[in-house]
Amino acid sequence: MNHLPVDDAREDFEAALATKKPVLVVAPTGSGKSTRLPLWLAEGDDSTGVVLVVEPRRVACRSLATFLAGQRGESVGESIGYRVRFDDRSSKATRVLFVTTGVALRMLTGDGVGEFSAVLVDEFHERGWEVDLITAVLLDARKRGRFKAPLVLTSATVDAVKVTRAIDAELVEASGRTYPVDISYREETAAPSSDDLDRRVRKAVAALLDHDDGDILVFLPGKGEISDCDAALSGLAKKRDLTVLKVHGSLPPEKLSQAFAVHHEKRRVYLATNVAETSLTLPGVTVVVDSGLARMRIHRGGRSALALVPISKASMDQRAGRAGRVRPGKCVRLFSQRFQPREENRPEIERIELDDVLLQAAICGLDGRRFDDATWLTDPPQFAVEAARERLQKMGALDDAHRLTDRGRRMAALPVGGDEARILLDPPEELAGTAADLVALLQLSRDLLLPPHLTRRRKEELLEDRADLFADVTDEVCLQLRALRHGDPHRHGLHSSALAEARRIAQSLRDLLGVSPARPTSDDAPLPTRQALAEYLLARVPESAFVVRNRALKRRARGKARRGKSEPWGNGTTELAIWPFDPPRVLDADEDSRDPVAGLVLDHFWLGGKGTEVRGTGRMVLPCTYDELLDAGLGDEEISEVRAGTHSGAPYVRAVVETTLAGVTLESGERPLRGDALCREAARAILEGRILKPAGDLLLDDLHVWDLMARWPEMDRTWPEDTPTPPEPRAFLEDRLKTLGVQRQEDLMLLEPEDLRPAVHEELGAYRYDVESMAEDFPRVWEHLGCRYTVAVKPRSRKILLEPMDKKTARSDDPQARFVPRFRGFDVHYKNASRTVPIR
């Protein structure tokens, strides 16, 4: 085995492990830490446990496991294996297991943390939120005595002193082996920029071909830029006999194997995201072209946005170092030398919304106070924690103490984000397969199964086949589901790698849900109707419901809406740009289906612009109607002109209602009230005696007795002293109507006045006799000869105050003592306006 720079630090590493503290290994990129340290940990362990190696990216998991297995002459999955989401290449014989961060978190739930003989967290300096959470979980487990095995963090660039102090770790430093790299700059742009990037990359690559014979590695921010540069280099590649290879995390394993092949005939140009910065070594690279850009999650404008940002100086140095791995190299930076980058990137946990962080932390045991008390290398921002907790409580994932609920536990156990987990929880049998397929499609991020453009050569021959596949399709969701289940990459012009990935994920999710058949391509059942699917999704993810904003509707009405242009859609808190559904030119969709006024936007992404600008774009839109939104209880209601009464013996509560969502009127006019509005206005009408007589008077009588007994002197009562005070009548009645399930006017017909009365004796812990006796001795209202008086009781001073309830009573003579009830011997006074006189 070749000698690597990190080999010189093995003795120091083993000494650090002997201290039983966490160990931080700092070594430059290419020193061998990702390949040597896992094997050392396995060799130094006499147990049958597994060395868990956590990698931030699945491409690194697969490539490192494949490389080390090959070094041993084994197949992946024997003594060395890997697990990434929906792809497991491990066995009972596996002793070193490479996993992505998401898989690691699921393995650390419950008692899983104690199953490993060691845990190594690689590329710690990238500081993704999952890496920070894994570290916090493991440190918490060590503090509680649940994890005593070695914990190793590795980094190429990190503030070693700060980290070792924060977690009380031992530091091991190893030198790297690099050759000098000549760095030059292109002054076309003052700072890293995406403007005209493909042209600038082509120009730089063309110039470098004449000055160096090594392979060229071009760092780009994402797959979109990689595709653009691939197209821009196609002519040059043919002319100079080059092989252009794409390298990013979404590539299938066989494509990655091609990129990592050591021996190749043609000179190569690698177009890579920042996955190539650290763990991955691309053979033969001596030239780097650096765009200086990356896409990162940032918290901007109150949202987690995927922004195109300049990388840090540390990342620039790592990228340049890739040119000096085998001999002296060159690095061309496509921006001015005057640009001053920040030293290091901020940890991701400071830049994103924290819903998934809290949910995954909770299932790993860090919920409630334990989350706040955990050892964090960077404390999560408190404002982001509180906002995430509020959202998770609304989902039913956390309780009022911020502890994980059963629903939250089941959501967190699913290998998807919180929103997708709600779609997958307990679907009805007839929708389970579609739910799994739909969530699988949402995992593709912005990849679509249908390319946006077809080559002229293939366009005509595909149209007929697509017409058969997409017959009757009128929306994007159905289009993608049909392509997933029955599409053929060649015949229908689909993205082959995206389709294979979606089908693999769908099969895994179907297995998880127990759906038969497990393979989506074997599912011949018809897709659910749009209405059925919309009803299901509105109940699971109601915040995904959006409407076309008024300004866009006005443009449509004036005939100024232009095909191919985005429109603003909103849901009351968020606005997204939505492009109209553009069927693949084989569908006879009418205008209503092509231009819906509302829909469920199942996927969206945010891009950071200049300053604090954040732009949201939505996709996977399932059209729905205003009526379907109303049936789901969505929208803000403004109620006026309420009318309540009884017609033909049936109670009714009607009002003029205007329901709006994002400023768009969904409904306006008089109608029977429903839902919470019905309970609210029905409670008012019952208390005013307009419906369900005499329920209002009976309730007020009960609450009068309740209040009286709550204020009764302790020495004179037989019921407990800590008697609660009665609720406000209208609030009690509204809550009671909701508890009884009143949602529509027809539900009121099923009620009896007795249904709306509180069980006072149970609330007070009193005997029923005491309550009945109190109601008889101290009525809320006393009536005599057509006059009605309110009865105010003052138990401690043993006084009764009578007051007239109406004008007739006020104009009548004062009540006579001989007619006034006994009131248990209380003194009785009569108050009429400003005059108060004793009666007895």
Side-chain angles (χ1 to χ4, degrees), residues 810-829:
R811 289 195 297 265
S812 300
D813 294 336
D814 294 351
Q816 300 296 308
R818 68 179 182 275
F819 299 122
V820 173
R822 184 174 62 86
F823 290 128
R824 289 194 190 180
F826 277 44
D827 294 338
V828 182
H829 293 75

Side-chain angles (χ1 to χ4, degrees), residues 429-476:
E429 182 178 354
E430 65 273 15
L431 288 176
T434 299
D437 295 348
L438 179 57
V439 170
L441 288 166
L442 296 178
Q443 306 311 298
L444 298 180
S445 185
R446 283 182 287 159
D447 283 341
L448 298 175
L449 298 185
L450 275 71
H453 304 290
L454 297 174
T455 63
R456 184 175 300 277
R457 182 179 62 83
R458 297 203 61 202
K459 183 177 295 186
E460 296 304 322
E461 66 183 81
L462 289 175
L463 290 182
E464 184 175 345
D465 288 332
R466 282 190 173 184
D468 293 336
L469 177 63
F470 299 124
D472 304 322
V473 169
T474 58
D475 64 82
E476 181 184 10

Side-chain angles (χ1 to χ4, degrees), residues 568-626:
W569 290 41
N571 68 352
T573 59
T574 301
E575 182 170 301
L576 297 173
I578 305 293
W579 268 259
F581 174 57
D582 189 13
R585 294 187 59 191
V586 298
L587 311 176
D588 295 325
D590 58 34
E591 285 301 310
D592 289 338
S593 64
R594 294 189 61 171
D595 294 314
V597 294
L600 290 103
V601 183
L602 300 176
D603 192 24
H604 60 262
F605 54 93
W606 296 86
L607 296 177
K610 297 179 179 179
T612 60
E613 179 189 6
V614 174
R615 300 186 304 274
T617 300
R619 74 174 189 104
M620 290 294 282
V621 179
L622 180 68
C624 65
T625 65
Y626 288 168

Side-chain angles (χ1 to χ4, degrees), residues 607-669:
L607 296 177
K610 297 179 179 179
T612 60
E613 179 189 6
V614 174
R615 300 186 304 274
T617 300
R619 74 174 189 104
M620 290 294 282
V621 179
L622 180 68
C624 65
T625 65
Y626 288 168
D627 285 342
E628 287 167 334
L629 299 182
L630 292 168
D631 289 340
L634 297 178
D636 300 316
E637 291 186 342
E638 184 175 333
I639 297 172
S640 60
E641 302 179 35
V642 179
R643 296 191 299 113
T646 302
H647 179 71
S648 300
Y652 67 85
V653 182
R654 299 178 64 87
V656 174
V657 180
E658 182 177 31
T659 307
T660 61
L661 181 63
V664 176
T665 299
L666 305 181
E667 175 191 54
S668 181

Side-chain angles (χ1 to χ4, degrees), residues 431 526-534 622:
L431 288 176
L527 291 172
T529 64
R530 184 206 59 76
Q531 293 88 342
L533 186 55
L622 180 68

Side-chain angles (χ1 to χ4, degrees), residues 240-312:
R240 301 295 295 268
D241 199 25
L242 303 172
T243 299
V244 179
L245 292 175
K246 303 175 184 179
V247 182
H248 53 76
S250 299
L251 287 176
E254 59 273 14
K255 293 286 186 179
L256 287 174
S257 299
Q258 182 184 4
F260 297 127
V262 176
H263 302 292
H264 47 271
E265 297 178 1
K266 295 183 179 181
R267 190 174 181 183
R268 291 185 166 188
V269 177
Y270 298 97
L271 303 177
T273 60
N274 56 2
V275 300
E277 273 186 29
T278 50
S279 298
L280 304 183
T281 298
L282 297 170
V285 170
T286 61
V287 180
V288 165
V289 176
D290 186 5
S291 68
L293 295 169
R295 279 195 170 83
M296 296 183 183
R297 289 283 174 191
I298 63 171
H299 205 274
R300 179 179 290 175
R303 303 194 179 281
S304 178
L306 187 64
L308 192 65
V309 297
I311 60 176
S312 67

Side-chain angles (χ1 to χ4, degrees), residues 124 127 132 135-136 139 153 162-163 166-167 375-379:
F124 179 74
R127 295 297 303 278
D132 274 21
T135 306
L139 292 174
L153 311 176
K162 178 181 177 181
V163 173
I167 63 175
T375 300
W376 297 94
L377 285 170
T378 300
D379 289 330

